[in-house]
Amino acid sequence: GGAATAAAADPAPTAPRTADASGVTWGSCPDDGYGAYYKATGAECGQLEVPLDYARPHGKKISIAVTRVKHTDTKDYRGVLTFNPGGPGGGGLVYGPYFKLLLNKRGYAALAAKYDLIGFDPRGVDHSQPALRCNSDFQKPVRPDYNPGSRKEEAAWLAKSKKYAQDCTEKFGWLLPHMRTTDAARDLEQIRRTFGADRKLNYWGFSYGTYLGATYETLFPRQTGRFVLDGNVNPDRVFYDTQLDQDRAFERNFKLFNGWIAKWDSKYHLGTTAQAVEANYYKARAAAAKAPIGGTIGPDELDDIVQQAPYYTSEYVPVADALSAWIVGKDPQPLLDRQGDTSDDNGFAVYNAVQAADARWPRNWNKWHNDAVKLVKQGYRFNTWPNVWFNAPIFFWPFNGGPKLRINAHRTESPTLLIQSTLDAATPYEGALVLHREINSRLLAELGGKTHANSLGNLCLFTKAVAYLDAASVPAGSRGVDDTCDANPATNDPTPTGVSARSLTAVPGLPLPALPKIR
């Protein structure tokens, strides 16, 4: 799955009311499905003007969408706490209001009151202006099979990817060179200056948000306050090598998921061993290539739906239910219900734009092809070609990006709290160990955790993160793991009988905005 963010269908700007001295034009909050969250917290919504190019601060301006939930504890005011859900391409507008409600609900209202909680959509994302959208048909089903059976089939995907890069260049060629993570980090600094000028920035970042956070720390170490980074991108592997690492980790987690299904064969009837379940999956996938399930789910669409489970164990039950309904009962509806809207390509566009601009990518297609073929031969089959095509527009980008920023932040006042699940597929564990060495940090590992960026889902992790934000309490430092939480068996290896998927999400009645997929 791409950046599966809860995106609004209508990218129209919020109606401007007043531009205050800070450069924020306040207006109404967007109708993005989270209206109740904005309302319940009294959030203000607006557009913050920033330079397109920080080398020309008085030149062309763009704006980033922001929400603010103001602190109410004036005696112990801590400044700004802001959030990034990842991607790149994930919108974080609702995260300020969401965290206010989450902290209140979990008994930390006093802490929530100390911070101005700022949600924002990074440059190019969703409600920011302009929002990067290149071709709304790109992900329309049914797409050509991810796994090419021939050079001819591979050429079809290459042509599709090239067209997408051309569409982006045509519409947004002026913006693309300014989509680097360093640009987004400078935008974060504008947020700090605008909303908490005399204080350091505090930040909670997930997935790609960890790379954005580490970039900010590298550029602005003295302005760095308390940073929680969860599901850590390996800064030494950005970004071509990152996807190769993911291919191996997703294969492992796909097999773990199949093993879990096999354990509950009495419910799912898809096989009593992981191997049998996997064989049944690939049989259904091959059939979908000939006759799409329900008319819209071909092999790629099936892969995208099933990939949610290796990402998040909260998806185990609904994905297995849907697979079983189709393979055993020939009922396509549960799979169709899990097929998201593919017409908004904003997340996909930003994902490609940021990764293309941040670092150099191989400009020889043989390298991409040979690396993929080699991984598949080694048995890493599930995510390898899907990942190639998720990144392939970058091969045709109008420029080669970079140079890659060297992450280095040993002089921040507070050590950063790194949180990492040991069996995370999207950001493999090794990445956290690398980042731990490159910034002033403490590493909190979720032992056996198979969910990506799980600090909101595991109460042990969440409690430690909140204690850190409240009192800067961290374990003593080391070169390796400094503290641990066990994965919660109830959510890490769920019991499917009589369980609704809803009960496995972070907070009943307070659904988390979808964390985007860093593929």
Side-chain angles (χ1 to χ4, degrees):
T5 47
D10 179 17
T14 52
R17 285 209 291 267
T18 53
D20 67 16
S22 66
V24 181
T25 305
W26 295 108
S28 53
C29 291
D31 177 19
D32 59 0
Y34 294 109
Y37 290 11
Y38 301 125
K39 211 178 230 148
T41 54
E44 307 169 282
C45 299
Q47 294 283 336
L48 171 65
E49 202 171 72
V50 296
L52 166 70
D53 179 355
Y54 278 92
R56 295 185 181 80
H58 302 296
K60 188 172 169 65
K61 300 284 198 285
I62 57 174
S63 74
I64 52 178
V66 291
T67 58
R68 174 171 64 176
V69 179
K70 279 184 170 163
H71 70 283
T72 51
D73 180 351
T74 46
K75 209 166 82 240
D76 200 6
Y77 172 57
R78 302 281 181 81
V80 163
L81 173 59
T82 188
F83 311 88
N84 180 274
L93 205 58
V94 74
Y95 271 70
Y98 176 78
F99 258 80
K100 176 79 170 179
L101 297 172
L102 181 63
L103 288 165
N104 289 354
K105 201 153 187 161
R106 286 183 171 174
Y108 300 104
L111 176 66
K114 294 172 187 176
Y115 286 102
D116 286 327
L117 301 170
I118 307 288
F120 75 103
D121 284 354
R123 55 172 56 205
V125 174
D126 210 7
H127 302 290
S128 292
Q129 296 167 16
L132 200 56
R133 290 179 168 90
C134 306
N135 179 345
S136 61
D137 286 339
F138 184 78
Q139 290 166 314
K140 199 165 139 186
V142 173
R143 293 162 294 163
D145 194 331
Y146 283 143
N147 301 330
S150 65
R151 283 283 189 171
K152 197 178 146 197
E153 288 179 19
E154 191 174 339
W157 257 111
L158 277 169
K160 188 174 160 67
S161 301
K162 182 178 188 175
K163 166 91 164 67
Y164 191 80
Q166 287 169 339
D167 290 338
C168 287
T169 304
E170 204 176 299
K171 290 185 185 168
F172 292 104
W174 59 274
L175 176 61
L176 298 180
H178 307 291
M179 289 294 293
R180 281 173 62 87
T181 298
T182 47
D183 296 310
R186 291 187 169 96
D187 293 342
L188 267 180
E189 174 60 4
Q190 295 293 110
I191 286 175
R192 185 194 69 82
R193 287 179 182 178
T194 302
F195 297 111
D198 54 341
R199 315 254 169 176
K200 295 182 192 302
L201 182 77
N202 305 290
Y203 174 87
W204 197 321
F206 307 86
S207 193
Y208 159 79
T210 64
Y211 187 64
L212 173 56
T215 297
Y216 180 90
E217 294 186 31
T218 299
L219 298 180
F220 304 103
R222 287 195 183 88
Q223 280 75 43
T224 297
R226 296 172 194 178
F227 273 43
V228 177
L229 304 182
D230 176 22
N232 296 276
V233 170
N234 185 332
D236 292 1
R237 304 278 288 168
V238 298
F239 273 106
Y240 178 79
D241 293 323
T242 304
Q243 43 130 16
L244 304 179
D245 299 340
Q246 288 177 337
D247 297 341
R248 299 180 189 96
F250 267 109
E251 190 68 34
R252 175 199 66 211
N253 284 29
F254 178 55
K255 286 178 160 48
L256 289 170
F257 174 53
N258 291 332
W260 176 87
I261 291 177
K263 194 173 94 179
W264 297 101
D265 184 62
S266 58
K267 178 174 169 68
Y268 295 119
H269 312 294
L270 291 171
T272 54
T273 64
Q275 292 84 344
V277 174
E278 187 170 322
N280 272 326
Y281 176 72
Y282 282 115
K283 214 166 98 185
R285 189 187 186 284
K290 294 195 181 81
I293 300 161
T296 60
I297 299 175
D300 304 5
E301 291 75 25
L302 190 60
D303 282 347
D304 289 354
I305 292 166
V306 172
Q307 199 200 13
Q308 303 302 310
Y311 254 109
Y312 305 113
T313 55
S314 58
E315 302 290 303
Y316 269 25
V317 174
V319 170
D321 283 349
L323 276 178
S324 179
W326 170 245
I327 295 171
V328 180
K330 287 292 165 259
D331 174 8
Q333 200 52 51
L335 281 174
L336 292 168
D337 290 344
R338 297 193 69 74
Q339 190 174 18
D341 170 32
T342 58
S343 66
D344 188 351
D345 68 316
N346 176 246
F348 182 71
V350 174
Y351 172 92
N352 279 277
V354 172
Q355 299 209 1
D358 268 349
R360 297 187 75 77
W361 286 69
R363 282 299 194 182
N364 175 352
W365 186 255
N366 283 335
K367 173 152 176 66
W368 294 60
H369 173 91
N370 293 338
D371 284 348
V373 168
K374 190 169 131 194
L375 280 169
V376 171
K377 272 206 181 106
Q378 291 169 347
Y380 303 109
R381 178 182 174 188
F382 177 67
N383 197 46
T384 295
W385 279 107
N387 226 349
V388 168
W389 302 123
F390 204 75
N391 294 276
I394 295 170
F395 181 72
F396 299 101
W397 224 241
F399 57 87
N400 205 348
K404 179 171 81 177
L405 179 72
R406 192 169 157 259
I407 297 296
N408 180 0
H410 293 284
R411 293 202 174 86
T412 58
E413 186 184 47
S414 300
T416 291
L417 182 64
L418 304 179
I419 300 179
Q420 185 68 39
S421 303
T422 57
L423 296 176
D424 186 325
T427 51
Y429 183 67
E430 174 63 26
L433 297 173
V434 172
L435 185 58
H436 188 27
R437 292 194 289 271
E438 296 182 358
I439 64 175
N440 172 19
S441 58
R442 302 289 186 269
L443 176 55
L444 166 62
E446 185 193 28
L447 302 177
K450 294 179 291 194
T451 280
H452 176 43
N454 199 29
S455 56
L456 305 186
N458 180 323
L459 277 176
C460 170
L461 297 174
F462 183 79
T463 305
K464 288 174 192 280
V466 166
Y468 165 73
L469 284 175
D470 199 19
S473 59
V474 288
S478 72
R479 296 185 76 89
V481 176
D482 303 303
D483 195 7
T484 61
C485 285
D486 290 328
N488 174 3
T491 51
N492 203 49
D493 284 293
T495 304
T497 43
V499 160
S500 77
R502 186 168 296 279
S503 69
L504 298 176
T505 57
V507 189
L510 188 63
L512 172 68
L515 282 173
K517 312 293 173 264
I518 167 166
R519 208 184 159 84

